[in-house]
Amino acid sequence: MEYVDSLTGFRLDGRRPNDMRQIRGEIGVVAKADGSALFEMGNTKVIAAIYGPREVQNKGQQANNQALVRCEYSMANFSTGDRTRRPKGDRRSTEISLVIRQTMEACILTHLMPHSQVILIEFLVHILLKFFMYFLPKICFLQIDIFVQVLQADGGTRSACINAATLALADAGIPMRDIVTSCSAGYLSSTPLLDLNYIEDSAGGPDVTVGILAKTDKVTLLQMDAKLPMDIFENVMQLAIEGCKAIAHYIRGVLLENTKQLECRRGI
Amino acid sequence: MLQSKSFVKKTKQGRVVKVVREHYLRDDIYCGAPSCKVCDTSASRLSNSASTILIVDTNVVLHQIDLLENPAIDDVVVLSVVLEEVRNKNLSVFNRLKALCTNSLRKFFVFSNEHHKDTYVKEMVGESPNDRNDRAIRVAAHWYQSHLGENTQILLITNDRENKRRAVEEGISAETVESYVRSLGKPDLLDLVVLSSSADVNMEDVEDHRPSKKKVIYSEHKPMSEITSGLLCGIYHQGKFRVNRYNPFEAYVGSESIGDEIVIYGRANMNRAFDGDIVAVELLPQDQWHDGKSMIITEDEDDEEEDVHLAPSSADDAPRSVNPVQPTTESVPPVSNRPAGRVVGIIKRNWHSYCGSLEPMPMPAGNAGVAHALFVSKDRRIPKIRIQTRQLENLLDKRIIVAVDSWDCLSRYPSGHYVRTIGQIGDRDTESEVLLIENDINSRPFSTQVLACLPPLPWSLSSEDLANPNREDLRHLRVFSVDPPGCKDIDDALHCKPLGNGNFEVGVHIADVTNFVLPGTPLDEEASQRGTSVYLVERRIDMLPKPLTEDICSLRSDVERLAFSVIWEMTPDAEIVSTRFTKSAIKSCAALSYVEAQARMDDSRLIDPVTTDLRNLNTLAKIMRLRRIKRGALTLASPEVKFQIDTETHDPLDIGMYQIREANQMIEEFMLAANISVAEKILNHFPLCSLLRRHPSPTKEMLEPLLRTAAAIGLDLDVSSSKALADSLDRAVGEDPYFNKLIRILATRCMTQAVYFSSGDLSPSEFYHYGLAALLYTHFTSPIRRYADVIVHRLLAAALGIAKLPPIFQDGPQLTGIADNLNYRHRNAQMASRASVELHTLIYFRKRPTDTEARIVKIKSNGFIVFVPKFGIEGPVYLVPKGNNGSDWVVDEAHQRVTKVGTNIRYNILQTVKIHMEVVEPQPNRPKLQLTLI
Ligand SMILES: [Zn+2]
């Protein structure tokens, strides 16, 4: 099958190799959660909800001097065409949960939140907090729960989950080093392709998922489950990084817009 | 630009499972007209002054591709909806259309109407996909018209009446193919137009004079659904239909489901299948599994008589029929155990265009200049094809190309249409082109993209080449080459240096082609496609462009060249002590011909260094050769003909057998050794993706003709192994000196040819090379003219760790595809060479009737086949005039002899006879070589 038309240069859905699908992010979609967001990449739609920081429920899990980050990934039964009932905690979900947790951990300033019950919004508060803590008779540990669920799957769910989680964490006001964004790129018909959709993903070619810290350009996630010659891999990865940057640009816009609205409501 | 903001999103919906796919529509797709004021015209392909732009529909492309390929048709917009439909319906037409769209000389532009925001149409409720696509074409045509304005006419070409009517209603100009071609005022273009089937009926009346033939000739093909279910429950068998090259009434279908070949005898059972078609076959009842001979006689088609042709050099060239002589006494055909069948349906057609000429016929009276003629393909496997032409007079003495359009069960022959004229029949250039086309050989000049990959000329060894730590400087060595006289593409050279310990250092240096042909470049793709250089009598069609073959890579004398070297240390007994491989730089000191090298070795007065090296090499080679033969390698023989060509007229001046000298054998020996050493090395490193060459052991059945001949003359041949066969061939010495050679020639033609394969596809026991009695073999020594060697060079370089293995080697199926293509190209190149020799033989004897000696190699009921050693040809000699069946000659099968009843006159197999050779023209413009007994 030809995934890039050799005559017109278009992919099956009408994109050029370097085009991303339409992306959309929305903040505050789950009122009960401390932070939440919806993120769409084409037909892939995921929702993320954040609970916390709150006190660690299971004392055994607590980490030293750091807030505990937990992540639960799931796919809605209606998210794919076949509507099969999926068992919770299968291998794939566990793996993706782990990937998301590790990626988010890398950007959350977990060390700023040990032993605290206070939601931190700004760095300045942190200094006050240390003063405050001095008076706390009991030391308690904090945890952040990230729930992501795939509502509709069409390739690139992993990336969409990370992007949604980033938005939701920001919504929850959890201090982050930088915003982390993710995007995938593949290699089909001898062409690097940005942001594979499900059909392209099912072609079985190499699929590189990258997560970066947008400001510092640091790669925090890199996954590939196929072989690629080094020079081609570098091109594909570079393309995925470009995709991450474009998403970061968009997410910043969403956050900015959201802040403006908040300011409006507060009447500033 | 990572994301176009102008995207509008629409979704398409599927059937059973709801599939939602995104479909992006864009506003950055351009119209392709250079005169456009709105669009980006940098990628435009239509001509500047185009006053009419054609938009074609799917059926026009599918049926009139020959017309579209004619340069008279240009400024065509191909819509992506049409492209997609063509791709789904006929891949070969799609590839031709694609070639048109990418050819920079043609003005075909692909417009992605399906992704353009203004031309995308959504399927309406109740609308069939076909109607929707037709509407999409009209919408696109409309868009073009309003986009380009009144100065440019957009013309929709369609043969669909309804579509045309609607288009006109919607204000789009539309015409049928025929009326458009008529309006061009070029009557010969009309021959290219495929007429709709209604015209076909009239044609039948005109052409078929015999009233009895106006009936169903072939059984109806089964519908696809029935075939599919028949295949599933095992009643039908699917396979590729292959027609016997020497007997067009016999075909084979290799079936996986019964694990054997199904034989199909006769045109009725073949039921309109063409060579290469994928067909569904039904087995005949077992009592009808007899040999096809009796059926061929009943075939009322004009009998296909055997022509004089070049003597076959392997089983692949020889007729496949197992039983050439049918015992005359037997009335009931013997039941054979080979399954026989008949074609019930055609799953996939392999129709393409064919080279040939029209059957001679008188000019028809009247009929508005339109004549119906029968086309006879040069390829005998193809049936005659009916065509309609307005230029009969012009075409009768021409070689032409014809394409097949249809074949219904009422017509004896398929109908087709004229595509183009190649030239005068019998003209050397025309016939050479015919044989190139027939063998699918690309003789076009290299494209500019390919030539752009060449290093700048003049090329010379640079200091960077020498500074490369992986390249050894061997310029101090006394390297020389030995090749046929006049060889310009020298890809191998040798050196031989005595070492202090009494051993010899022997080096084989091969042109370092992969230093210039880098993987994935247009140059590499082109070479990969061509696969091999093709050697015709008067010209050579190169695999690589001339600057590489004759200069940069050619290891000519006195120039510094890059090489890939195999260097052995050998004992005086030619035992290999050590082997190493390296890229190198060499400077050959002499480019000798075989004759020169031989003369030097033979002249005992010469004691110069090169001659001494030659003698040392020859001594070693003789030992190696002997050892190889002891191991069981076959010394096979095939007659190789050599022409002396007039340098100006290119006509053959003299013809004779190619003489094999000791010098030839010496070079061959070292090339074999180098190939084997390289095969071992690459297989060791890359057990799953090495390109090797194997020669399957001949089966008992294949050796049958040889054994029958041997039995008839009382010769005992042991064919249990190659060693046994080699030994019994050595013992086969007759009273005359040529006898042994003749037996070897007969043995050689029973064998199939060696083939390339990827080591991952077979098990090691199948790697065996029967002819060379080698466990492993590959091709390393001729990278200038064979692509297999280029691949092997890359493998060897990667095995040595001096280059990366190109990614293609990790792709098993693709590697298999490459090996298959190489085998196909190799085979075609050989067939073209043989056809070229046959052509020149004919030209040579045209002016020179000759008497000569010949050997009988096959006995037939009406004569025998003789082999003419001096010219390497063989052909029939008839004892009975054609058409005379009351023969008074009797065939003795056991002794392979034919005797005249009541007399002592008889002819035995292998007997020497005197014959007369002369070119005759039984029909105008159809010269052929005739052999008669004197
Ligand atoms: Zn335009």
Side-chain angles (χ1 to χ4, degrees), chain B residues 29-41 143-144 147-148:
Chain B
I29 298 174
Y30 305 124
C31 68
S35 57
C36 183
K37 304 277 188 302
V38 192
C39 298
D40 179 358
T41 52
W143 178 84
Y144 256 91
H147 178 79
L148 289 175

Side-chain angles (χ1 to χ4, degrees), chain B residues 61 132 258 269 307 355 375 527-528 568 620-621 634 649 667 776 786 844 889 893:
Chain B
V61 175
R132 183 255 163 209
I258 63 166
N269 285 338
D307 275 334
C355 264
F375 164 88
S528 163
W568 301 287
L620 291 170
L634 295 171
T649 63
I667 298 298
L776 286 181
R786 285 190 310 228
Y844 177 79
W889 290 87
E893 176 76 5

Side-chain angles (χ1 to χ4, degrees), chain B residues 313-325:
Chain B
S313 58
S314 77
D316 306 324
D317 304 326
R320 288 193 48 168
S321 90
V322 180
N323 218 357
V325 183

Side-chain angles (χ1 to χ4, degrees), chain A residues 153-186:
Chain A
D154 185 26
T157 47
R158 219 168 273 234
S159 295
C161 287
I162 290 171
N163 296 332
T166 299
L167 269 179
L169 283 171
D171 183 38
I174 290 172
M176 291 189 281
R177 228 176 236 116
D178 193 349
I179 54 174
V180 63
T181 58
S182 168
C183 189
S184 70

Side-chain angles (χ1 to χ4, degrees), chain B residues 141-159:
Chain B
H142 202 269
W143 178 84
Y144 256 91
Q145 188 67 72
S146 54
H147 178 79
L148 289 175
E150 292 305 312
N151 292 336
T152 318
Q153 192 204 7
I154 306 297
L155 188 58
L156 175 66
I157 306 286
T158 174
N159 277 350

Side-chain angles (χ1 to χ4, degrees), chain B residues 120 170 221 242 312 386 520 542 554 598 653 659 734 743 808 825-826 917 920:
Chain B
Y120 175 75
E170 289 162 23
H221 286 153
R242 284 172 302 115
R386 288 183 323 184
D542 286 321
S554 180
Q598 192 65 46
L653 291 175
Q659 217 188 334
I743 290 287
I808 188 164
R825 297 292 168 192
H826 206 73
M917 305 170 62
V920 293

